[in-house]
Amino acid sequence: MAVTVSLPANVTVATPGPQGPPGPTGATGPQGIPGDGSALTRTVVSNDVDYTVKATDRFIAITVLTAGMAVIFPDPSTMPNVVVTVKDEAGMAALNTITLKPANGALHIDGDGTKQINQNYGVMSVYSNGTAWFTTN
């Protein structure tokens, strides 16, 4: 469909000039955590035995919870800039608490010796800055 525009006699349309050079490049964000390309790396814990977080863990799903249990975090220097999420998929944490704690009793999570998931289907994310563990929620 062609469009015709009438311009006043004192307006001239010229052809565009050459394109100018590109502008400066903006800042880039931080490097993400390397992964295998999947959206979620899920570790299933299907017994009531205390579980020690591995360097590759990112999402820990507690699928069986008939007794209280602990999820034990290693020294934060071994997992800098990493977020680990623990989820009560069994829906039993109100009765059987999931305790999150560092392996070394001198270390803390948000300044506390332990954190607890004590609501059914509860979830808690913990990250390391390389020297300490902190919750994100």
Side-chain angles (χ1 to χ4, degrees):
M1 173 173 155
V3 176
T4 304
V5 177
S6 297
L7 298 174
N10 63 346
V11 175
T12 311
V13 177
T15 57
Q19 181 174 348
T25 302
T28 57
Q31 174 89 20
I33 298 170
D36 61 3
S38 64
L40 177 68
T41 302
R42 182 172 169 256
T43 301
V44 175
V45 177
S46 58
N47 56 42
D48 295 321
V49 178
D50 291 351
Y51 179 79
T52 300
V53 176
K54 297 176 185 68
T56 55
D57 288 338
R58 297 299 177 266
F59 189 92
I60 300 170
I62 310 297
T63 60
V64 172
L65 192 59
T66 59
M69 65 169 296
V71 177
I72 303 165
F73 287 79
D75 190 291
S77 66
T78 65
M79 296 178 71
N81 304 314
V82 170
V83 177
V84 178
T85 300
V86 180
K87 171 72 176 170
D88 169 24
E89 287 190 5
M92 295 297 295
L95 182 61
N96 301 303
T97 301
I98 301 168
T99 302
L100 284 62
K101 65 181 186 176
N104 176 344
L107 297 174
H108 296 94
I109 301 173
D110 281 347
D112 296 326
T114 63
K115 290 290 184 179
Q116 294 185 334
I117 299 173
N118 54 14
Q119 294 180 351
N120 291 344
Y121 301 102
V123 64
M124 187 173 293
S125 293
V126 179
Y127 74 93
S128 163
N129 68 356
T131 58
W133 290 103
F134 300 93
T135 59
T136 63
N137 50 340

